[in-house]
Amino acid sequence: MTVMTRELKASYAFVARNWHLTKRYWGWEAAFLVYAVAGALSITLIGKDQGDDRLLFYLMIGAIFWNYLSVLFQILAEQIAWERWEGTLEYTMMAPVRRVSQLLGSTFYAVVYGLVHTAVILVTLALFFGLDLSRADFATAGLFMLLGSLSFIGIGMMAAILPLIYVERGAQMTFVLQSLLLLISGVYYSIEVLPDWMQTLSRLSPATYVLDGVRRGLIDGAAPASQFHNVWPLVAMAVVLIPLGVWMFGRAERYAKRTGKLKRVG
Amino acid sequence: MTTLLDPREPRLAPEPESPREHQPKPKAGMVLAVTDTVVPALLVEHVTKRFVVGRRKKPVLAVNDVSLRIERGEVYGVLGANGGGKSTLIRLVSTLLTLDSGRVEVFGFDIERDEMAVKRLINRVSVDAAFFKKLSPLENLVYAARLYGVDAGHGRRDSIRILARLGIAEKRLSRPLEQMSRGMQQKVAIARALMTSPTLLLLDEPTTGLDPRSKLDVQTFIEEMRDDHDTTVLLTTHDLAEAERLCDRIGILNDGRLVTEGTPTELKAQVAREHGRPRTLESVFMSYTGRSLDEDAEADEDADDE
């Protein structure tokens, strides 16, 4: 068996495992999906209430695409916390699997899971509001989802380090990080309303560029070629954050092995 | 004789990704001879591991300059009080902890330099059966099989065969693991380790909490693994009868130090000769750990209370 085949098989192990877990926790999955749909509807209804179709679109895109990015982030960031909770972390870490393969498998599942979630919410909202999407440029939306996924994968990998090195508080830290991304990324409002120092921070969040790009594509029909100012930061973040995430994960694993923090607690 | 595992992989140490300079690349028969006669299954040399437990507290010396050598096919038992360093030693060999100093080799592969090669040769069963409890035993085991590069189909078949041998019927393997008793979960944990055909099996109190019948099943299975599959076993246990039954040699670990080692017969003779105590493993344990089994149990309860 070649190294590549073995690593792909190992990557698939994480995909299959997560799929089995999704099936076993189907009740929770259904509850999360209902909550996500209800949340997106509630927020979008603010636009309806204001009688402003552009605002309605604006909020809807924020709700849907933030849901996608946060699902991706959560699955990646919580993979270690999850294993620590189940007690399987040591077994995964001692298996002959490269971390890249592990992260690849988890990421692939997270992307597919996030896309299914997003599709369900998008269809529900489109039907609920009878939206006219004839001007929408879905290719642009797809491109920004792809680029946004790549940069969020890097952030998710870095966030996954927190439960690895902070045994008791790591999971809470990832939650705080996710909340801050929500606050600064212009999910439901323009980042111009933020104080100057927060606007600086918002430019470091990939979600800012994803949401702006998707909004221009779906509301105004702007093609990717006209959105270079949103594309290049996402490409740069993906190029930097993914290798950085893998490298930092390796360093954190080494630290956890030196200090004995892989051992289950709780 | 019944074969429990498919002999898919030859019982050779695989090629390391970065072979050590002084060790030739394993090649067919030549290496078999080398691995059989020269390279020990496990070599631990002057290994030390400390844990920092607080900024103002002294680091805890969990393993203190331990050296031991386990030959291929041997079952080596490590006895010692709770907190004596047994599980830390197992974790060090499992690559779950880094060494502060010293060296560990598994079939000639350095655990730090050739980590992946070592990981393919070992597996471990710990005292607590750690699984995704909502998943079925088969789902958990197939997941583990894939991580070790074993085909899902092979993994499934081997799991069913091993678990049947341990007294768990196939019809029980599709329900969530959380519905199984602690003993059955532990048997699934043992199946997980054996399914990957480890050449070095690390058993950290594998029968703790099992009923007598289950304990016997597991012990018999370990013996079969050694006899039929040439598996080397490093076993920690508090069950002295189990140690006596299974272990070719025993080492006593006290406060992180290996204070003595030998065959059960040698240790019993030694404790009678040097300490004037009855020729039992309990005497050996008490003499070299400085405490009785009852005291050890109390220490365990105190630790649980903390």
Side-chain angles (χ1 to χ4, degrees), chain B residues 12 19 55 65 76 97 109 151 155 168 200 202 227 278 285 288:
Chain B
L12 290 174
R55 286 181 187 168
D65 195 28
Y76 188 98
L97 291 170
F109 297 136
D151 269 353
I168 299 181
L200 175 63
L202 307 166
D227 297 342
F285 183 93
Y288 289 101

Side-chain angles (χ1 to χ4, degrees), chain A residues 1 6 9 14 17 20 24-25 86-87 90-94 96-98 254 257-258 260 263, chain B residues 17 49 91 95-98 115-116 119-120 124 126 130-131 134 139 143 147-149 151 174:
Chain A
M1 190 186 295
R6 193 166 50 218
K9 193 175 281 185
F14 294 96
R17 181 201 71 185
H20 288 311
R24 293 283 180 181
Y25 284 100
E86 294 274 14
E90 286 193 324
Y91 288 91
T92 301
M93 291 298 190
M94 69 175 280
V97 180
R98 287 180 169 77
R254 184 82 185 162
K257 285 181 174 181
R258 184 164 56 79
K263 189 178 171 184
Chain B
E17 283 147 15
K49 183 69 188 173
R91 282 193 167 86
T95 73
L96 291 169
L97 291 170
T98 53
E115 185 177 332
M116 274 299 182
K119 282 177 169 178
R120 286 187 205 108
R124 162 176 170 254
S126 65
F131 286 104
K134 281 279 180 199
E139 286 166 344
Y143 163 60
L147 290 185
Y148 281 79
D151 269 353
S174 300

Side-chain angles (χ1 to χ4, degrees), chain A residues 20-21 23-25 28 86, chain B residues 131-137 139-140 174-179:
Chain A
H20 288 311
L21 283 167
K23 283 193 298 180
R24 293 283 180 181
Y25 284 100
W28 277 112
E86 294 274 14
Chain B
F131 286 104
F132 289 93
K133 297 286 199 298
K134 281 279 180 199
L135 299 189
S136 70
E139 286 166 344
N140 271 291
S174 300
R175 282 181 267 165
L177 235 147
E178 63 187 0
Q179 294 176 10

Side-chain angles (χ1 to χ4, degrees), chain A residues 31-242:
Chain A
F32 289 144
L33 192 55
V34 168
Y35 185 85
V37 169
L41 272 173
S42 308
I43 289 162
T44 309
L45 279 166
I46 296 171
K48 180 95 173 172
D49 187 45
Q50 297 295 309
D52 183 341
D53 278 353
R54 190 175 177 83
L55 178 63
L56 186 147
F57 255 119
Y58 190 94
L59 292 173
M60 187 187 84
I61 290 167
I64 291 173
F65 287 88
W66 175 251
N67 181 75
Y68 171 73
L69 294 175
S70 59
V71 162
L72 193 63
F73 177 84
Q74 274 173 4
I75 292 181
L76 290 174
E78 292 177 4
Q79 58 183 321
I80 296 299
W82 198 5
E83 291 228 35
R84 198 183 279 290
W85 174 256
E86 294 274 14
T88 55
L89 184 59
E90 286 193 324
Y91 288 91
T92 301
M93 291 298 190
M94 69 175 280
V97 180
R98 287 180 169 77
R99 287 304 149 244
V100 173
S101 307
Q102 179 182 353
L103 295 168
L104 186 71
S106 299
T107 300
F108 179 80
Y109 186 79
V111 168
V112 172
Y113 180 95
L115 286 175
V116 171
H117 243 238
T118 304
V120 171
I121 298 170
L122 180 65
V123 168
T124 307
L125 265 65
L127 292 174
F128 189 88
F129 291 107
L131 297 174
D132 176 14
L133 298 171
S134 56
R135 282 195 65 204
D137 187 331
F138 286 102
T140 303
L143 174 73
F144 278 101
M145 277 185 84
L146 174 69
L147 293 175
S149 301
L150 294 175
S151 38
F152 256 69
I153 286 165
I155 295 182
M157 285 176 187
M158 285 190 252
I161 292 165
L162 296 169
L164 200 58
I165 57 182
Y166 300 104
V167 175
E168 291 175 10
R169 294 181 301 280
Q172 291 94 314
M173 288 177 181
T174 62
F175 192 70
V176 169
L177 182 58
Q178 189 185 349
S179 311
L180 293 176
L181 286 171
L182 170 65
L183 179 66
I184 63 169
S185 302
V187 176
Y188 300 120
Y189 40 79
S190 165
I191 58 166
E192 277 78 39
V193 303
L194 296 170
D196 287 347
W197 65 272
M198 283 178 85
Q199 286 190 39
T200 306
L201 288 178
S202 76
R203 290 190 184 91
L204 299 174
S205 165
T208 305
Y209 304 98
V210 173
L211 290 164
D212 188 51
V214 170
R215 279 178 177 132
R216 287 170 191 267
L218 290 185
I219 299 175
D220 303 325
S226 65
Q227 298 209 57
F228 185 68
H229 64 288
N230 279 324
V231 170
W232 78 259
L234 289 171
V235 172
M237 285 185 195
V239 168
V240 172
L241 293 178
I242 292 178

Side-chain angles (χ1 to χ4, degrees), chain B residues 3-191:
Chain B
T3 303
L4 295 162
L5 296 172
D6 288 338
R8 290 185 305 276
E9 302 286 341
R11 295 280 168 188
L12 290 174
E15 291 185 26
E17 283 147 15
S18 315
R20 298 171 55 203
E21 285 176 6
H22 64 273
Q23 186 183 332
K25 266 193 166 185
K27 279 184 194 169
M30 179 196 80
V31 179
L32 181 61
V34 170
T35 1
D36 274 349
T37 56
V38 178
V39 181
L42 176 66
L43 184 67
V44 176
E45 281 188 342
H46 303 293
V47 164
T48 296
K49 183 69 188 173
R50 292 179 186 82
F51 292 113
V52 176
V53 290
R55 286 181 187 168
R56 294 181 184 174
K57 292 182 182 172
K58 268 179 65 179
V60 172
L61 199 49
V63 172
N64 185 3
D65 195 28
V66 167
S67 296
L68 57 89
R69 180 187 170 104
I70 304 177
E71 303 302 336
R72 184 179 185 144
E74 200 177 10
V75 178
Y76 188 98
V78 178
L79 303 181
N82 293 305
K86 303 186 297 298
S87 295
T88 301
L89 181 64
I90 294 266
R91 282 193 167 86
L92 284 166
V93 178
S94 307
T95 73
L96 291 169
L97 291 170
T98 53
L99 308 171
D100 286 350
S101 61
R103 187 165 68 107
V104 176
E105 285 184 3
V106 175
F107 287 98
F109 297 136
D110 186 280
I111 62 161
E112 297 200 321
R113 214 167 29 232
D114 309 316
E115 185 177 332
M116 274 299 182
V118 169
K119 282 177 169 178
R120 286 187 205 108
L121 292 174
I122 61 173
N123 214 321
R124 162 176 170 254
V125 178
S126 65
V127 65
D128 49 342
F131 286 104
F132 289 93
K133 297 286 199 298
K134 281 279 180 199
L135 299 189
S136 70
L138 271 185
E139 286 166 344
N140 271 291
L141 293 174
V142 169
Y143 163 60
R146 287 190 174 117
L147 290 185
Y148 281 79
V150 177
D151 269 353
H154 268 124
R156 192 174 285 113
R157 282 194 295 277
D158 282 348
S159 305
I160 292 169
R161 191 161 49 235
I162 295 167
L163 286 169
R165 173 65 191 79
L166 291 170
I168 299 181
E170 187 175 349
K171 64 181 181 188
R172 304 205 61 167
L173 301 183
S174 300
R175 282 181 267 165
L177 235 147
E178 63 187 0
Q179 294 176 10
M180 287 184 146
S181 67
R182 156 93 178 82
M184 289 174 96
Q185 288 185 20
Q186 189 65 356
K187 286 180 179 179
V188 178
I190 290 163

